[in-house]
Amino acid sequence: MSIRVLLVDDQELVRAGFRMILDAEPDFDIVGEAADGLEALELADRHTIDVALMDIRMPNLDGIEATRRLLERSPQTRVLMLTTFDLNEYVYEALRAGASGFMLKDAPPEQLVEAIRIVADGDALLAPAITRRVIEEYVSRPLAGDGHPPALEELTARELEVLRLVARGLSNGEIAEQLFLGETTVKTHVAHLLQKLRLRDRVQAVVLAYESGLVQPGR
């Protein structure tokens, strides 16, 4: 089954480059291209999209607000943010808006392809150290509404343990190794904690873990 991709970037050359990379993969189907967030929303109304490759800085409607609106309309869509800066000030806001991760525009083609597959599979792109750095930098700033959300009380001790490791960017395989569990068991724990916390994916779990103080930045 093909992965339906929407390309959203205000530079035509960038979109052409991505199209060339993705057209070479048999399991990708590019359903449309948009030059800004408003065009992206129009296309999302007309097509089923599995993954939107979304630039952050665009005219008319930027990638962050476009992501927020897109996910309100189409919660099953995954958004992979694209940026030219490895510590872009907007990246953390993009993750809070519901993006499933982000990539640098100059990442090697095979990394982009792999990233789209990871995100389409319902996982989040949290492994790169850069993502953790950005999250840690932004959540270390005081935010309104601190303290543990009541839903955290619903988690079992094991689920809390798994959540802490997810927040540190560990994959299911790495968590399984660390806790001496099967990978399928870890997957089940992750699914349960996301359900209990009413979160759509691992990125939101990471943000909540840091914002609630369950995990401390830099530790």
Side-chain angles (χ1 to χ4, degrees):
M1 199 168 141
S2 62
I3 298 168
R4 292 160 298 206
V5 181
L6 174 66
L7 303 178
V8 190
D9 195 293
D10 59 335
Q11 294 177 23
E12 198 173 337
L13 269 176
V14 171
R15 296 199 308 273
F18 288 144
R19 179 177 278 279
M20 196 169 68
I21 293 165
L22 302 185
D23 276 345
E25 303 295 324
D27 55 335
F28 288 126
D29 174 22
I30 297 171
V31 297
E33 294 184 24
D36 61 40
L38 291 175
E39 277 186 29
L41 295 176
E42 285 170 17
L43 286 166
D45 284 341
R46 298 205 300 270
H47 301 279
T48 302
I49 296 160
D50 297 313
V51 178
L53 274 186
M54 182 86 70
D55 189 18
I56 289 184
R57 299 166 107 171
M58 292 182 294
N60 301 322
L61 188 69
D62 68 34
I64 294 167
E65 186 55 32
T67 295
R68 204 173 277 120
R69 295 188 200 177
L70 174 61
L71 296 178
E72 278 172 10
R73 299 175 188 203
S74 175
Q76 79 282 357
T77 299
R78 302 283 164 179
V79 177
L80 186 57
M81 305 301 299
L82 295 160
T83 174
T84 47
F85 309 103
D86 68 345
L87 276 177
N88 190 305
E89 62 187 285
Y90 303 113
V91 168
Y92 180 63
E93 282 307 313
L95 295 180
R96 292 190 78 196
S100 293
F102 73 99
M103 287 286 297
L104 294 178
K105 283 187 186 179
D106 58 2
E110 62 274 13
Q111 270 188 30
L112 178 70
V113 167
E114 180 63 14
I116 294 171
R117 290 196 180 118
I118 288 170
V119 168
D121 198 34
D123 211 336
L125 205 66
L126 292 177
I130 175 178
T131 306
R132 290 201 296 275
R133 275 211 320 275
V134 171
I135 290 174
E136 289 180 0
E137 178 180 335
Y138 284 90
V139 298
S140 63
R141 302 174 182 185
L143 290 164
D146 51 359
H148 283 214
L152 275 179
E153 307 301 324
E154 293 177 33
L155 300 188
T156 64
R158 179 61 95 191
E159 285 164 355
L160 276 171
E161 204 171 6
V162 170
L163 177 56
R164 284 191 182 96
L165 295 176
V166 166
R168 296 208 165 97
L170 272 66
S171 67
N172 287 346
E174 290 165 336
I175 294 170
E177 208 173 301
Q178 192 151 329
L179 298 181
F180 305 103
L181 297 170
E183 201 168 330
T184 310
T185 306
V186 172
K187 235 178 171 175
T188 305
H189 283 314
V190 172
H192 285 167
L193 70 88
L194 291 178
Q195 195 176 9
K196 288 180 181 179
L197 297 172
R198 294 176 188 82
L199 302 173
R200 70 194 303 273
D201 62 22
R202 293 165 85 100
V203 168
Q204 290 195 329
V206 171
V207 171
L208 179 136
Y210 278 106
E211 289 188 343
S212 65
L214 188 68
V215 176
Q216 297 299 315
R219 285 178 59 191

